[in-house]
Amino acid sequence: MLGAMQDWDLLVTHLIDHAAREHGTREIVTYWADGQQTRTNWAGIRCDALKMTQALRAAGVGKEDRVATLAMNHSRHLVSWYGAVGVGGILHTINPRLFDDQLEYIVNHAEDKVLLYDAAFQPIIDKMKALWPSVELYICYDSGEHATSFEDWIAGYDGNAQWAEVGERDPCMLCYTSGTTGNPKGVLYEHRSTLLHAISGLQPHAFDFRPNSVMLPVVPMFHAASWGLPWAGAAAGLKFVYSAVNDPMVLCDLMADEGVTHSAGVPTVWLGIFQYCDATGTALPKLDVATIGGSAAPKFMIERLMKNGARVAHAWGMTETSPIGTVGAPTHDWADKSFDEQVAIVAMQGRPVFGVELRTVDLDDFTKELPRDGKTSGALQIRGPWVIKRYFKADQDATTADGWFDTGDVGVIHPDGTLQLTDRTKDVIKSGGEWISSVELENAAVGHPAVAEAAAIGMPHPKWDERPVLFVVKKDGADCSAAEVIEYLSDKVAKWWLPDAVEFVDDIPHTATGKISKKDLRDRFSDYKLAE
Ligand code: AMP
């Protein structure tokens, strides 16, 4: 027997229909790269998205075609999210901070057909265009100088169109993560997973949205689906305030002028805001909820935001988990706790939102589940309807035999379900919210004639959360200086990947299977301090 309720596929186009119908006049404000400010609303976003579906169809773009964006946060980017999925297409947000070879790889791997971009990224387009044969149409969001401008492109249409007919398990969005070794990997979200994830963001302990909430997401739309905010924000009918520039002065002004109640960003963003406020004597913006994620939120940051009256929602997630996995929220006995106790709890990574499950397992034996005792640390694994099963175009699942995704993070789970991350097994370093591959740094370094072995690990850094430090064993009888190693690396990796320090050591610890043991190296240098 089947249940007897209505058929209503879980499609993300329902989100924009709802936002336009029920919250049509709620504003979407944008501060553009040229300093201009524009205002539209959810009804306007939907109308433009429908016009975009007409323009895409006229260009022969339809079901499962990849529509890429290379852009900062703004209202036209938001329109494109819904316009791309509205033709049954797959929205592919590209991180403009990736290197040329990564950009070349992902656009070709995704087989992007259309690319919409900000004029600020014209140099990337000029450099990469010849390497991207699949892209048939370039649209520039804010200038008509080198490609058709977005406004001109949709201007000839009236928005009198229908969303494409798709099913809830059809794909709607593609994000690549470089937070793993090897080439970036594509995570292909579907309508159902995205809608369920958006609804999870409405749980009070997630973003804590109210009918009058005003959200300024600093987290980019190209990063882990902007933590799902363009979808969840439509469900909640939020007023969105977008800034196409990440200048702390602009962000603080917008927060004050537009009555922003909620914001979300990686720790480096909040630090930039603190520094600007301290340097200029500007009052720290008053927020109801400050969401921090992408890297561990430091205690001093949590304290300062909490003292300023905000609830700090410290969140953990991954591109592979859509991304929300856990969020910290006040517990039932919050009022009985001292301020310091509250800060200590918020500094952990929070508890799972309803819809996903976490477990920790033995690092060497994934079948051995560990107790949730707040002490025994192990590999963090997750499962749920918005967690990856298989990377885009991969021929094998990314899950364990019993269906869990291993996150590459290491931590403990406390008896009340709070997650506390302690380490990472994946060989990457996260600096200012962006990934650096330690393996690539090491491989480049061992090309130096005096280097026998090299190991890169992330060391805590007050501004960038982590910065790479390279530990080097010299070849017998050979010599070189730290400056020479850095100079050697400088044309092999991006400038911001260059290690902050090179330390010469007699040996590098190895595991039983002969791999470099980053854990032992980190333990050995646990007191290491980077110069600021
Ligand atoms: P990404 O897919 O680029 O969003 O990166 C996901 C990874 O960032 C996670 O697997 C963690 O290693 C790290 N991460 C995200 N949020 C946090 C957090 N709150 N604390 C510590 N690490 C985090």
Side-chain angles (χ1 to χ4, degrees), residues 8-9 16 22 36 60 67 197 231 290 329 370 413-414 433 461 498 507 523 526:
W8 197 82
D9 271 357
I16 187 75
E22 314 299 341
Q36 292 202 47
V67 178
H197 177 264
W231 311 120
L370 300 176
I413 301 179
H414 288 260
H461 186 278
L498 289 174
D507 70 294
D523 288 349
S526 58

Side-chain angles (χ1 to χ4, degrees), residues 176-179 223-224 227 292-297 314-321 323 326 347-349 380 407-409 421 423-424 426 428 430 433-435:
Y176 281 75
T177 173
S178 52
H223 203 161
W227 300 350
I292 308 181
S295 289
H314 183 189
W316 167 87
M318 308 175 68
T319 307
E320 286 89 337
T321 65
T326 62
M348 297 192 276
Q349 277 73 11
L380 176 68
T407 63
D409 288 321
L421 291 187
D423 203 354
R424 206 181 275 151
K426 46 195 173 192
V428 278
K430 206 166 201 190
E434 302 289 343
W435 292 110

